[in-house]
């Protein structure tokens, strides 16, 4: 049993160790005992129970254990009642800090001491302490005793449908503004471990909505008009990605393909990302790091700049558009964790080759922004001056734009219902093209939201409508690598090899050896021209001429699967290439493409090799 606390204060202990007999002058909130780690909040600091023995009695009192105080707000509980963290206010002589005490932090003094030192806080065990105990254990028991409130932990930032709130590290955002979470009775918090994944999102409420509107309008003038309208539409839609997914099968990722000097990483695109809360800047991530970051925020963009190998990221890109999960080996190398990939993704670089992969094309918004170098100011009185000067002045005036991001999120939440209605209306216009329809519909709704936010009338909507119509007109359902990359390569490499009835087609030369062509054309130059393909020969020659090919999209088996979707019914026809030395005919089988694909390929054929 713990010794009874007598009426003594820390000042009652004389230098000689004698205990003065003066009355207590302060209340004790909870008696320090084993259940509280023998700690008590007293006189603005944490104090610990101490004892002094004599022949007459055992006297107990408290002495400062730390130079800080802790107010437990509550605990974060996951399924099964497991406590993931304790949320608390750490009060020092100078300030009050909102902190998160996790089990791994409390269980390791090597982590706990520098964590507290960041706030200018520390502890020191008095010599007369009644019971020795590790400092993390003391704090854990103190927090456990006082943290009576329990919150539901959310595995991501951004929109949480259960609490109808946009979850941040500093509380939640709703249609009526920012709320401090537990302090206002909203018992939902972001998983504290998200910070370990590199989550860098801030949602400030400085200024007001009119300040934000002016900032967005100005940023939209810092680059090519249509590029900014389409990118801005996608950017606005990301704020409501979970709401969009209630109406669509996917949410597209954005790809900016442009050469160095196009301001992919330092211009308007970066400014818009900050306005939506993203504060990390462009980053080059490994596959594992990128995967973890994509699991952090359902409504926050993750930016990967100049990825060396987009094929290595393809699984992540495909999964993220549908909020799917990806497996990750556990730290014990025996278990497998499922990582939900929920964030909208931005890729920037000089070339990814995504346009040749239908599965990615359907899921991506591909933009090739022109260089903004040489752009002149659009401000009255500054005509002829470099626009770069306006951008520098803008950033000097506003600083880090995440300071306004809370207003942007609040505005989006206020218009979420109408945004979803805009998606539904756009889907009627683009019906019949599956994932591609959903992509264009989201952009259309995003353009509406952008115009509403910036106060630009129908500026974005008009430009995005024109862009979407161009995309829809050139879209071929089923046009995978066979149509977008491999057959076009064969036509460039070997030219058009005509197949005339009653005559053997010409052979082609591949590295000095004569072989039969992978692609034949009948009635070339007429309105009824058709393209015929031998996928086995096409895969063989394509692999021979390329140091690296994709097994999933460019192998013989992959091309056979693809041609089944784009070829005319039936087994095809055989073309004769003469006879063997013993008189047996040499024949190879070809399948005819559906006319719309033949027309597309021949219309884009210009002749000559580009490799």
């Amino acid at each position: 049993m713990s010794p009874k606390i007598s009426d003594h204060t820390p000042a009652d202990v004389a230098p000689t160790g004698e205990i003065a007999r003066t009355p207590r002058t302060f209340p004790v909130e909870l008696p320090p005992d084993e259940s509280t780690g023998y700690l008590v909040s007293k006189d603005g600091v944490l104090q610990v129970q101490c004892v002094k023995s004599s022949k007459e009695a055992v006297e107990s009192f408290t002495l400062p254990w730390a130079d800080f105080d802790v107010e437990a707000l509550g605990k974060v509980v996951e399924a099964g009642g497991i406590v993931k963290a304790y949320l608390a206010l750490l009060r020092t002589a100078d300030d009050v800090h909102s902190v998160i005490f996790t089990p791994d932090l409390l269980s390791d003094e090597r982590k706990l001491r520098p964590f507290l030192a960041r706030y200018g806080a520390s502890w020191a065990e008095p010599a007369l302490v009644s019971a020795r105990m590790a400092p993390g254990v003391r704090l854990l028991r103190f927090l456990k005793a006082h943290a009576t409130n329990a919150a539901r932990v959310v595995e991501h930032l951004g929109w949480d449908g259960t609490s109808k709130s946009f979850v941040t590290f500093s509380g939640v955002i709703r249609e009526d503004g920012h709320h401090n979470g537990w302090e206002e009775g909203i018992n939902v918090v972001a998983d504290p471990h998200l910070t370990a994944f590199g989550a860098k999102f801030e949602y400030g409420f400085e200024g007001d909505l009119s300040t934000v509107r002016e900032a967005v309008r100005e940023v939209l003038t810092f680059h090519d008009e249509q590029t900014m309208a389409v990118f801005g539409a996608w950017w606005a839609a990301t704020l409501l990605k979970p709401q969009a997914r209630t109406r669509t099968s996917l949410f597209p990722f954005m790809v900016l393909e442009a050469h160095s000097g196009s301001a992919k990483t330092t211009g308007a695109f970066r400014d818009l990302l900050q306005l939506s809360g993203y504060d990390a800047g462009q980053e080059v991530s490994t596959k594992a790091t990128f995967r973890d970051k994509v699991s952090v925020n359902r409504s926050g963009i993750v930016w990967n700049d100049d990825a060396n190998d987009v094929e290595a990221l393809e699984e992540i890109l495909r999964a993220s558009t549908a909020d799917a999960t990806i497996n990750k080996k556990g730290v014990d190398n025996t278990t497998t964790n499922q990582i939900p990939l929920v964030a909208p993704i931005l890729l920037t670089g000089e070339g990814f080759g995504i346009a040749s992969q239908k599965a990615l094309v359907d899921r991506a918004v591909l933009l090739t922004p022109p260089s903004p170098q040489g752009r002149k100011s659009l401000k009255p009185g500054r005509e002829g001056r470099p626009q770069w000067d306006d951008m520098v002045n803008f950033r000097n005036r506003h600083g880090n734009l995440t300071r306004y991001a809370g207003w942007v999120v609040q505005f989006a939440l206020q218009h979420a219902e109408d945004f979803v209605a805009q998606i539904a209306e756009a889907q009627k216009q683009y019906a019949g093209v599956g994932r591609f329809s959903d992509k264009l519909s989201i952009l259309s709704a995003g353009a509406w939201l952008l115009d509403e936010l910036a106060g630009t009338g129908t500026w974005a909507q008009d430009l995005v409508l024109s862009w979407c119509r161009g995309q829809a007109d050139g879209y071929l359902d089923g046009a995978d690598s066979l149509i977008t990359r491999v057959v076009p390569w064969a036509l460039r490499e070997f030219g058009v090899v005509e197949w005339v009835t009653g005559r053997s087609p010409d052979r082609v030369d591949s590295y000095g050896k004569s072989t039969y062509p992978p692609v034949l054309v009948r009635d070339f130059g007429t309105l009824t021209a058709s393209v015929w393909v031998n996928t086995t020969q096409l895969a063989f020659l394509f692999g021979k001429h390329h140091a690296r090919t994709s097994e999933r999209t460019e192998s013989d088996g992959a091309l056979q699967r693809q041609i089944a979707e784009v070829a005319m019914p039936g087994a095809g026809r055989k073309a004769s290439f003469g006879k063997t030395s013993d008189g047996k005919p040499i024949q190879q089988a070809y399948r005819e493409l559906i006319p719309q694909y033949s027309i597309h390929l021949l219309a884009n054929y210009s002749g000559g090799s580009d490799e």
Side-chain angles (χ1 to χ4, degrees), residues 287-602:
K287 180 179 179 180
T289 302
F290 184 56
R291 174 202 61 210
D292 289 344
K293 289 180 179 178
V294 176
S295 70
V296 168
N297 193 334
R298 297 186 70 193
S299 312
I301 297 168
V302 172
W303 184 3
N304 196 352
D305 183 44
D306 283 333
N308 293 327
D309 184 7
V310 74
E311 289 186 10
L313 306 179
E314 184 175 337
E315 182 183 10
I316 296 173
L317 296 174
R318 290 162 62 96
S320 69
T321 60
D323 298 333
T325 60
I326 191 170
N327 291 331
K328 171 185 176 182
K329 183 69 71 176
V331 294
D332 57 3
N333 289 324
T334 59
T335 59
T336 300
N337 300 325
Q338 287 193 322
I339 308 297
L341 302 180
V342 296
I345 292 173
L346 167 63
L347 296 181
T348 56
E350 297 190 15
F352 298 113
I354 288 176
S356 65
Q357 302 183 50
K358 180 182 182 299
L360 294 182
V361 168
D362 286 352
R363 295 172 168 88
V365 178
L366 302 174
L367 291 178
T368 306
S371 173
Q373 295 181 8
R375 285 178 62 88
K376 302 302 181 182
S377 174
L378 302 179
K379 291 182 175 293
R382 295 182 57 83
E383 294 85 353
R385 297 284 298 275
Q387 192 179 57
W388 179 254
D389 294 345
D390 294 342
M391 296 173 67
V392 172
N393 292 335
F394 173 84
R395 288 167 186 163
N396 289 338
R397 193 165 68 250
H398 291 286
N400 191 317
L401 296 172
T402 59
R403 64 199 294 193
Y404 305 136
W407 291 109
V408 176
V409 170
Q410 181 182 348
F411 184 89
L413 295 179
Q414 291 170 343
H415 294 76
E417 187 174 338
D418 290 336
F419 169 77
V420 174
Q422 289 285 332
I423 293 177
E425 190 62 30
Q427 285 174 322
K428 299 176 184 177
Q429 180 176 354
Y430 301 113
V433 285
R435 294 191 298 252
F436 192 76
S437 168
D438 285 345
K439 175 176 71 176
L440 300 186
S441 299
I442 287 172
L443 287 178
S444 298
W448 170 84
L449 183 61
L450 179 62
D451 278 333
E452 291 292 310
L453 173 62
T456 47
T458 61
W459 170 81
Q461 294 169 78
D462 294 341
L463 288 168
V464 170
L465 177 61
S466 173
W467 187 86
C468 287
R469 283 177 173 171
Q471 296 290 307
D473 290 344
Y475 180 74
L476 283 175
D477 192 21
D480 213 327
S481 293
L482 175 72
I483 302 298
T484 60
R485 185 182 185 202
V486 187
V487 171
W489 165 81
L491 291 172
R492 294 192 303 270
E493 181 69 27
F494 304 113
V496 168
V497 181
E498 295 192 61
W499 185 10
V500 179
T501 302
R503 193 178 75 194
S504 296
D506 295 333
R507 290 175 176 265
V508 297
D509 179 81
S510 175
Y511 291 117
K513 293 185 178 181
S514 176
T515 185
Y516 62 93
V519 176
L520 297 174
V521 179
R522 294 183 68 90
D523 301 326
F524 181 59
T526 71
L527 295 177
T528 59
S530 57
V531 174
W532 296 69
V533 180
N534 182 302
T535 54
T536 299
Q537 180 72 337
L538 182 61
F540 169 72
L541 292 177
F542 187 79
K544 187 176 179 181
H545 284 252
H546 293 80
R548 184 178 181 183
T549 61
S550 169
E551 179 70 21
R552 194 181 64 80
T553 60
E554 296 159 355
S555 65
D556 184 17
L559 296 183
Q560 287 185 35
R561 290 192 297 272
Q562 293 172 42
I563 202 169
E565 300 293 326
V566 297
M568 296 290 287
R573 293 172 59 181
K574 292 183 178 181
S576 175
F577 292 91
K579 296 181 180 180
T580 63
S581 57
D582 58 1
K584 294 182 180 180
I586 302 174
Q587 294 182 321
Q588 299 295 332
Y590 292 81
R591 292 195 66 178
E592 179 186 5
L593 299 181
I594 294 172
Q596 68 185 81
Y597 298 102
S598 293
I599 293 171
H600 171 80
L601 287 166
L602 296 175

Side-chain angles (χ1 to χ4, degrees), residues 9-291:
T9 69
D12 295 335
V13 182
T16 59
E18 297 179 359
I19 302 173
R21 304 297 181 182
T22 54
R24 288 179 53 192
T25 58
F26 56 87
V28 177
E29 297 177 0
L30 282 178
D33 57 23
E34 189 174 0
S35 67
T36 63
Y38 298 99
L39 292 177
V40 65
S41 178
K42 187 176 177 183
D43 287 352
V45 297
L46 288 177
Q47 299 196 15
V48 67
Q49 185 187 69
C50 296
V51 295
K52 183 176 178 64
S53 301
S54 66
K55 292 181 179 180
E56 294 80 16
V58 175
E59 299 288 344
S60 64
F61 49 90
T62 62
L63 289 175
W65 176 78
D67 57 5
F68 62 88
D69 198 359
V70 170
E71 178 185 348
L73 298 177
K75 54 191 174 184
V76 181
V77 181
E78 65 178 358
I82 298 174
V83 177
K84 298 198 72 170
Y86 292 94
L87 269 66
L89 296 179
L90 189 149
R91 303 180 188 276
T92 65
D94 303 318
D95 209 347
V96 178
H97 307 276
S98 177
V99 297
I100 299 171
F101 290 104
T102 58
D104 61 333
L105 180 67
L106 294 169
S107 63
D108 190 341
E109 183 176 334
R110 293 171 300 178
K111 296 179 180 179
L112 181 60
R113 192 175 292 279
F115 173 82
L116 292 173
R118 289 162 49 194
Y119 304 101
S122 62
W123 75 84
E125 194 99 317
L128 297 176
V129 66
S130 62
R132 297 289 173 182
M133 193 178 292
V137 175
R138 286 199 194 281
L139 274 178
L140 174 61
R141 294 189 178 186
F142 179 83
L143 291 166
K144 181 180 177 181
H146 290 81
T148 56
N149 292 329
R152 179 174 57 87
V153 64
V154 179
E155 302 293 338
H156 52 75
L157 301 178
W159 180 251
D160 171 55
T162 303
S163 64
K164 304 299 181 185
S165 306
F166 189 104
V167 181
T168 74
F169 284 129
S170 61
V172 301
I173 301 173
R174 289 180 170 176
E175 291 183 29
D176 59 349
H178 180 264
H179 296 268
N180 290 323
W182 279 353
E183 298 173 21
E184 299 183 39
I186 303 172
N187 292 345
V188 57
V189 296
D191 189 334
H193 291 95
L194 291 176
T195 56
F197 290 167
K200 297 179 181 178
F201 294 93
E202 299 290 339
Y203 299 95
F205 275 90
E206 294 188 33
D208 54 25
L209 184 58
S210 63
T211 304
V212 174
R213 279 196 160 124
E214 291 176 9
V216 173
R217 276 199 302 270
E218 187 165 359
V219 169
L220 292 173
T221 68
F222 288 163
H223 214 302
D224 169 69
E225 193 174 46
Q226 187 169 76
T227 298
M228 290 310 301
V230 176
F231 183 87
W234 176 82
W235 166 82
T238 64
L239 299 164
L240 298 174
K241 177 187 175 183
Q243 289 85 340
R245 290 282 290 110
T246 64
R247 287 285 317 179
T248 64
S249 61
L250 59 77
F251 190 95
F253 61 94
M254 171 64 70
V255 180
L256 297 177
E257 284 189 340
H259 296 297
S260 177
S262 62
K264 301 185 302 295
T265 58
T266 60
F269 307 116
R270 186 199 67 172
D271 291 342
L272 281 181
L273 263 64
Q274 284 192 352
L275 280 165
S276 62
Y278 182 79
D279 196 30
Q282 77 274 18
E283 296 182 315
V284 180
S285 302
T286 65
K287 180 179 179 180
T289 302
F290 184 56
R291 174 202 61 210

